[in-house]
Structures are given as C-alpha cells and as structure tokens.
Amino acid sequence: MRPRIGVIGGGVMGTTHGKAIHYLIKNGIVDAEIVAVADEDGERLDRYQRVSGAKLATRDARELIASSGVNTVYVCTPTFSHLELVREVAGRGKALFCEKPLAFNAQDAATMADVAARAGITHQVGLVLRFSPVINVMRQLIASPESGRAMTCVMVDDQFFPITGHYGSTWRGDVRYVGAGTLLEHAIHDIDVLQWYFGAPHRVFGVTRAFFGKPGIEDTTSTVLEFPSGAVVSHTSVWHNLLHRGSTRRMHVICENAQYWWQDDDYSGPIVADSNETGAPAEIPRAGVVRRFLDAHDIPHDRLRDAIGETDLGWAYLLEDYAFLRAVAGDRPAAPSFDVAVAAHRTVDAIYESARISAPVELK
C-alpha cells in the first residue's frame, strides 16, 4: 500500500524522521505522503504542519490514529506513552514505527511485540545503529573466518545529558516519563548491537551511578557481559556536561587472529584493522566503510545509493525510514522488529537488577 503517514511527536526524533521521509519523497525514492501530525505543544505542532504540509494537525494522538487518511503511524513520543499508543495503532490495523526504547521494561516491550504480531501489521523499532555502515562492516569483519573467534570487546558511548542543548527534552530527567537513564534511553542501541554481534549474553554484572542527582535516572553505567561463545564484553555508557561532544561511541574488538577498532564516529568510522595479514594497523577509510556497507546490502534505488555520504548519522535514519516504508509499501515484515528490541530490553533489565543487588545476574 502507499504509505500515508501520521507522525506522533514533533520533537527531535519526530523531526529527524520527518526530514528523512521528506528527502525520500522529494527525490522519488519512495511514493508516500505525510498527511498528519500530532503533538501536545501547539507551537511545535503548528511548525511541524507548516514544514511538512500535513493536512491534519491535532493535539490528540488518538485523533490522528483514528483518521481514515492515515495508514502508517510513527510514534516519536516519550517512552511512557509508547505502550498505549502501540495498542491503539495495532487495534486499527495500521503500519507502525515506534522509536526506542519501546517501554520501561522487557515485560511491557514483550506485550507490545505480541500486540503488533497478533494484529499482523508491518512494524519496526527505531534501533538506528542497525543501519550504520561502521556497525555493519565491523560485524562483517568480526564474523570473517580469518579473524578467528571473538575474545573480548570494549564499547563506550558518551553523550551530554540530553535535557539541554539541541535535545531540549526536559522529560529525560524525569523518571515518570523516561523510566530510567542512560542505559535504557541511550545505550539500548549498544546492547542491541552487542547481541547482534555476539548473541544473547548468559550473564551480566552491572554498576550504575547518578552524578547529576536526578531521582531514578542513572547517568553512568558500566557492565560486563559474558556470552556462551566465551566472549567477554565491557560496556560503559555516560551522560556528561560536555555540550560540544554531542553523541559519540567507540569500540575495540579483539579476536584470536585480528583486532578492529573505531572511535567517535558511529556512522562511518574509519575502522582500523590489525592482523597477521596486515602486519600492522591498517585503516579502512570512511569511503571504504560506506562502500563495503552498500555492496553488502539490498538498496536497489540508485539515487539513494548515490546519496549516502561518508559522514552524519542522518544518513542512517534515511536508510532506516527507507527500509520501513519499503516494507509498508510491499505489505511485508520490517526489520528490526519489536521482537529484536524485546531481546535488548531483557538484557537491560538484567543489568539494572545486577546493579540493584550488586551481584551478577544469569539470563535464561
């Protein structure tokens, strides 16, 4: 079907997806239309309608969901509202994109996955790093037989506390709206990537801290994750006050026969590879990372392939929305599905439990 899109939430993420969708439509890459927007903030609602050209603008998300003119809904609101909105959308049988994290906990996330599956709707979760060239190419390198078994990995993400700067979302400092802090709200991306690389962990040991004194909102987490393969991963997520840093990540993976690392650019790297074959650290430049990614993925639209640049995570959002809208148009499943997010939520819950009891937690 032709996606007739309604966006719920005109903030940072709703705007990010709106820009990506507009680009896809304007350049003839997808045949779709943004027809509606909902936001409780009247000023933001008016601005979004003006820029997007949406015919319907409402402060009531349920009015948007019920509209006969909408067959595809983007949920880009604070986490606390996701469960009920997903139920409403699925109940109407409409295609659904929901931003991460799906919910406050794995139980509610699993309920959302079940609701979407029972409704038989095309649905996708906003785990955007799945569309990052550096993340994909790193996975290819680790999985290559020449690398040998993955032994260990260190991954760090850091971001300024997202209640200031360009985020302007004070709700991320309020546990009633966000549920928890940096691990759930930001690093669930990382947990998903690590599970995509190494499988489901069987044991975690996590520590959390709250330097900024926001009740229920941790701003520092450090976790050891153990995997059935024998791989051991160290992961840290931090919210700080360095506004110029934005959102950055770095990763270093050591395999039996090779090492790979990248830092501060979670879109295109570059990646440094060191193996017996290279004899010394050798860089895969950003252009090479993007080229490897495009060569390995089904992106049949030449204009989109030609547009993908070497910098800016915005291109990953473009690819994410392209994948979803292409699935909607073809009336087929999208990826990553809600089930993928549920797996990450279960690990996040276990890390929080480990931090609470100051002991490792086994995952079934």
Side-chain angles (χ1 to χ4, degrees), residues 61 97 149 151 216 247 265 268 274:
F97 182 100
R149 292 171 295 180
M151 301 169 69
S247 176
D265 184 343
S268 60
D274 192 0

Side-chain angles (χ1 to χ4, degrees), residues 246-257:
S247 176
T248 64
R249 288 180 172 87
R250 61 210 70 111
M251 174 181 272
H252 190 142
V253 178
I254 300 176
C255 302
E256 290 175 298
N257 305 322

Side-chain angles (χ1 to χ4, degrees), residues 204-238:
V204 298
F205 185 20
V207 177
T208 65
R209 294 287 185 269
F211 285 85
F212 291 95
K214 299 288 184 182
I217 306 292
E218 88 285 351
D219 45 60
T220 305
T221 69
S222 188
T223 306
V224 173
L225 303 97
E226 299 179 64
F227 294 85
S229 66
V232 180
V233 171
S234 172
H235 174 267
T236 296
S237 182
V238 180

Side-chain angles (χ1 to χ4, degrees), residues 130 133-144 193 196-197:
R130 292 269 181 146
V134 76
I135 296 295
N136 279 265
V137 173
M138 191 76 156
R139 183 171 182 260
Q140 295 166 16
L141 293 168
I142 296 166
S144 118
V193 166
W196 195 32
Y197 283 10

